[in-house]
Amino acid sequence: MESNAEDLARRKKNEERGHQLYKMSNKILKHSKSKKEKEEAYQLLTKAADMGHLKAMEKLAAALLFGYHGPQNITAAVTLYETLAEKGSHKGQTALGFMFSYGIGTEYNQAKALVYYTFGSLGGNLISQMILGYRYWVGINVPRNCEAALTNYRKVAYFIADKLEKNEEMPVEKVRLMEKSENLSSNNDFLDWDVHQYYKFLAERGDTQIQIFLGQLHLAGRKGLEKDHSKAFYYFLKAAKSGNTHGMAFLGKMFLEGSVAVTQSNASAFKYFTMAAEKGNAVGLWGLGLLYYQGKGVPVNYTEAFKYFHIAAEKGLADAQFQLGVMYHSGSGVRKDYKLAFKYFYLASQNGQPIAVYYLAQMYAAGTGVFRSCQNAVELYRSVCELGSWSEKFLTAYFAYQDGNIDSSLIQYALLAEMGYEVAQSNSAYILESEQVKILSNDQMYPLALLLWNRAAAQGNAFARVKTGDYHFYGYGTKRDYVTAAIHYSLAVDHHIAQAMFNLAYMYEHGLGIPKDIHLAKRWYDLAAQTSPDASIPVFLARIKLEVKLLFSEMQLFKFTSSWKMSKLDTMLRPHWDLFALVVILILLVLLIRNR
């Protein structure tokens, strides 16, 4: 009995010590910026995990898998996650599902992945629920089932919508790596350091538009700038003092919501909203409407709230349109009218209001005010789900890629790809075919890249559709299949992709996967040149080769020549037709220059 009591006391003491170490680690990670402090935090986290602290084990396993603040260790991550899964951790189950789905540190096994995702979902893991929603939606290793997709997506969307209403979730930039590699000089997703410095200079010189722009970026933490409410407040205040109504309105918004930098004050919010509203500012009008609607600093007055919301909505403000939708949906101060609620939710959603999208999804799912549509509901719920905090991995994955941490970047993009993000699917495939990945074997690269390009293509990415065609044409990651390649190129052509037109023309020229048709080949070559100026030179060379072949075939001399000579010439030139055409052009140019 004494021995059992001692063991229990020792275990309890160990758990308390582990919890203390975990809290200390979190505190350091939250406030530290130096690499040394983060390393110290992870040392504490490792000690807590060794003591069996569940959350410490989950956090350490994620750090080892994704390469946060240190080198990746896939083997150690798998071991930890297996232990966590046995203990019933839904995060451990979800992570193992993800690793089995790609064969990262484990065998490639979609059946096991599905089992782990299912257990993770039953445990309440939102990522597992989102992955299952996507799988049922498109039919990945499960039969397509709209209702099952709806059930999973709705659970996640409910959680995200609640966070959005509390301003706790913000969308992040999703950078396409292909576009970055093709156009390194431009970066619309992040402010360059020198551009940021120039904007700061203009803001200090009194440019109110730049002040508002920088204030909004710091308020939300966009374009690569850190979320900093102190800086946002500073810029809005400068703009407001110069008479800028947007500055006044955003000050009102900051006082209404409150933060570490700005003490919540309904009186101050009312003051600045009124100043902005009196000058016709839509945000100011919406702010006054919200104060009257919620009774903050003023008595609840739905009539006044409706008046201000309506004026702001007429000016095109999405938040005001959304609030009108809420009033009509709930019957607050107005007669309940689901059709008008739908109208305003739709207008707000078109103007980028994410919570309005959630309400539309709810209406489609229940058939409230509209005909029930599982498909519309799933698509809307899914767009809300994609605003979850996990989308921050787009930033960390991009920065890891920029720093040369290719494996870390791939793991993060791959998880987002598994959740159904098309940009992440394209980025993961792009990284895989770069052949810089070390955590996967060479024979895994191209089949996985093809899988991801195919999923991205199914979501409407025309470039991914061309890539899928290329993989089937050349036999990358699959058997060479000209018929399938031609189908993918034909689908990409509908999106006016010059490369797809050129490829299709080549296939018509040589009868690869489709009947040989020289006239259709010429037509597609011409369309490729018309669609993109970049295609002009390749099309010019291809057309010269085509015209030479046509000329030879139409000459009377070749009509009497045995057919094997023509086929032999075609076979001989086909791999090097472009070089042959280039040589012919050079010879003609030399002759022209000599005869001048």
Side-chain angles (χ1 to χ4, degrees), residues 208 211 235-244 247-248 251 272:
T208 56
Q211 288 165 356
Y235 286 121
F236 290 145
L237 187 61
K238 280 182 78 71
K241 285 179 177 177
S242 299
N244 186 287
M248 299 169 191
L251 283 176
Y272 283 108

Side-chain angles (χ1 to χ4, degrees), residues 454-491:
N454 203 30
R455 289 182 185 177
Q459 297 200 63
N461 185 323
F463 179 82
R465 183 67 70 187
V466 175
K467 294 293 287 186
T468 307
D470 290 345
Y471 275 54
H472 285 286
F473 185 90
Y474 294 107
Y476 294 155
T478 184
K479 289 181 180 178
R480 184 172 288 187
D481 186 340
Y482 291 135
V483 174
T484 304
I487 289 168
H488 284 291
Y489 291 145
S490 298
L491 290 169

Side-chain angles (χ1 to χ4, degrees), residues 382-422:
R382 187 180 165 197
S383 65
V384 175
C385 293
E386 291 189 350
L387 299 175
S389 59
W390 40 76
S391 65
E392 289 173 5
K393 279 188 172 57
F394 273 105
L395 292 180
T396 54
Y398 175 68
F399 291 136
Y401 183 81
Q402 291 289 87
D403 292 339
N405 299 325
I406 305 300
D407 288 334
S408 173
S409 179
L410 173 65
I411 292 281
Q412 295 178 72
Y413 278 132
L415 177 60
L416 294 167
E418 189 74 353
M419 296 168 73
Y421 290 89
E422 180 272 310

Side-chain angles (χ1 to χ4, degrees), residues 50 90 110 160 168 192 207 238 329 384 399 455 460 462 467 481 512 515 527:
D50 289 340
H90 59 74
Q110 289 290 347
I160 302 302
E168 292 178 15
D192 290 330
D207 189 320
K238 280 182 78 71
H329 190 267
V384 175
F399 291 136
R455 289 182 185 177
K467 294 293 287 186
D481 186 340
L512 301 173
L527 282 171

Side-chain angles (χ1 to χ4, degrees), residues 256 285-296 305 308-309 323:
L256 176 64
L285 290 160
W286 162 80
L288 283 179
L290 202 61
L291 291 174
Y292 280 112
Y293 184 76
Q294 296 177 347
K296 291 188 173 181
Y308 286 120
F309 286 149
Q323 287 300 149

